[in-house]
Amino acid sequence: MVGRPRDLVRAVGLVGVGRLVTGTIVTGSGPHSDRPSAPRAAADPQSREASPAGHMTAPVTTPVRDPATEGFVAEDRPWKVIVWDDPVNLMHYVTFVFRKLFGFSEKKAERLMMEVHTDGRAVVSSGTKEKAENDVFRLHEHGLWATMEHDS
Amino acid sequence: MSTESGTRRRRFTVEDDVVVVDLFEPERDLLGHLLPQLSEMLMAGDDAALRRLKPPARPDDAEAEQQFRELVDDDMLLARLEAIETVEQGIDGARLDSVGVEAWMKSLNALRLVVGEVLADLGVDLAADDAEPGAEELRIAQMRSSLDWLGSVIWDLVDAASSMLPDD
């Protein structure tokens, strides 16, 4: 996440950017192609969980499977929703989204935002699978990178 | 830009529980230029720069991820296009209720995320300070300026909208 950006209207005025599109068309399997599908972290060789390419990717978790209980119990276990850091979203905006979507106090929202910013991730909600899916959907709508997984 | 009294003109102000939009003219022009492009990209759906708008929800489970995408993608696309339309209708001035504020917030942030992805695809390190661009880097400089500008607009909108959230 980033802090307050420069206000270029006051500084140098605005310029047009031409076309947004780069002219490249993704072929093949789309978002799950061999390109990293997770947002990039700023290139930082010291960054947490940075891949050799300097990109942050979501961790791959391998659930422990118990064939005796898997079909019966798996979906009943609570789920947690995790928000991940990214190099574009504003800290101010992320705090606001937490307050708006989850009703957190400003203090709690800021604390969670800072946890995302410093630790790379934070758990923002937990509950049923349906609740987690809805929370992830709402966070994605607001441009945050969120994932869901079973709460261990 | 300042008013005659010398105070800074605000893009977003709160009056009677609505957010009043009053962008500077160059900002209106630029938003009017960028938003249709974003809508085009969303409807085409195949530009790599859109991936940041659909990050994986279940990176641990490809099948579950596919199910999630089938569950949400169409609704999210429709919601994004409707939100962009709300912003386009209010570029020259609007009074936003909470639904309108949400449309502006989501659309501006989506636009900023896509600009960020385009810059990343061009090899720009977003964490690095700007270098003085050469002529061949003009587009990159323009896009970085837009990224900063969108951030400034979002910041101001968050300030206004935050005052409408319930007190702690």
Side-chain angles (χ1 to χ4, degrees):
Chain A
M1 285 180 287
V2 293
R4 181 162 198 153
R6 297 171 295 164
D7 188 337
L8 289 179
V9 173
R10 285 182 293 166
V12 298
L14 295 173
V15 293
V17 297
R19 294 288 295 167
L20 270 179
V21 298
T22 61
T24 57
I25 303 295
V26 174
T27 57
S29 53
H32 302 290
S33 69
D34 56 0
R35 298 190 66 187
S37 55
R40 294 180 180 81
D44 176 7
Q46 306 301 323
S47 68
R48 304 159 306 279
E49 298 174 11
S51 73
H55 298 166
M56 180 181 288
T57 56
V60 176
T61 58
T62 305
V64 174
R65 294 186 176 276
D66 181 344
T69 61
E70 188 175 274
F72 181 71
V73 178
E75 296 309 311
D76 296 335
R77 289 161 49 212
W79 292 75
K80 59 185 179 186
V81 173
I82 301 165
V83 169
W84 299 85
D85 191 23
D86 75 86
V88 177
N89 273 315
L90 300 172
M91 295 159 73
H92 196 39
Y93 175 75
V94 171
T95 301
F96 174 81
V97 171
F98 287 170
R99 290 184 69 190
K100 179 164 165 287
L101 295 191
F102 301 112
F104 296 152
S105 67
E106 186 172 4
K107 193 172 174 184
K108 180 174 179 178
E110 273 185 10
R111 178 178 62 74
L112 284 169
M113 177 277 294
M114 284 308 298
E115 191 174 325
V116 173
H117 182 62
T118 55
D119 296 347
R121 52 169 278 171
V123 175
V124 296
S125 78
S126 63
T128 64
K129 186 181 179 196
E130 289 70 30
K131 180 180 184 303
E133 285 173 341
N134 188 50
D135 286 346
V136 168
F137 173 74
R138 293 191 303 157
L139 287 162
H140 285 188
E141 275 194 311
H142 285 78
L144 272 63
W145 175 24
T147 61
M148 55 186 278
E149 61 187 53
H150 276 301
D151 202 349
S152 52
Chain B
M1 292 184 191
S2 297
T3 63
E4 287 182 1
S5 66
T7 57
R8 178 180 177 258
R9 174 179 156 192
R10 292 188 175 278
R11 297 174 173 116
F12 305 103
T13 51
V14 179
E15 289 178 11
D16 302 324
D17 289 335
V18 297
V19 171
V20 180
V21 180
D22 183 19
L23 299 177
F24 305 114
E25 193 167 332
E27 297 181 321
R28 300 178 198 182
D29 292 343
L30 189 50
L31 262 190
H33 176 72
L34 290 173
L35 286 173
Q37 290 186 55
L38 180 58
S39 289
E40 249 182 70
M41 289 171 76
L42 287 168
M43 285 191 283
D46 54 7
D47 197 294
L50 294 176
R51 64 179 171 274
R52 183 56 188 81
L53 299 186
K54 291 199 294 186
R58 297 292 306 277
D60 56 325
D61 186 332
E63 187 181 341
E65 174 65 18
Q66 181 62 30
Q67 288 171 353
F68 181 80
R69 294 263 66 93
E70 287 170 4
L71 190 63
V72 307
D73 278 359
D74 287 348
D75 287 344
M76 197 173 300
L77 173 60
L78 187 60
R80 288 201 190 281
L81 292 172
E82 287 178 350
I84 290 170
E85 195 176 331
T86 298
V87 179
E88 287 175 323
Q89 289 168 354
I91 283 177
D92 291 328
R95 296 174 66 85
L96 306 177
D97 58 12
S98 58
V99 172
V101 168
E102 188 166 312
W104 274 73
M105 201 83 78
K106 288 176 183 175
S107 298
L108 291 173
N109 201 58
L111 188 53
R112 189 163 184 269
L113 289 171
V114 168
V115 171
E117 280 298 290
V118 173
L119 282 167
D121 286 344
L122 292 171
V124 174
D125 177 358
L126 296 176
D129 290 334
D130 292 349
E132 193 60 37
E136 66 277 10
E137 295 173 345
L138 182 58
R139 179 164 180 251
I140 289 176
Q142 288 174 340
M143 298 207 76
R144 287 211 69 147
S145 297
S146 291
L147 190 79
D148 283 344
W149 164 68
L150 283 165
S152 175
V153 178
I154 290 168
W155 192 284
D156 284 355
L157 180 54
V158 166
D159 272 349
S162 294
S163 68
M164 295 166 67
L165 291 175
D167 290 335
D168 293 342

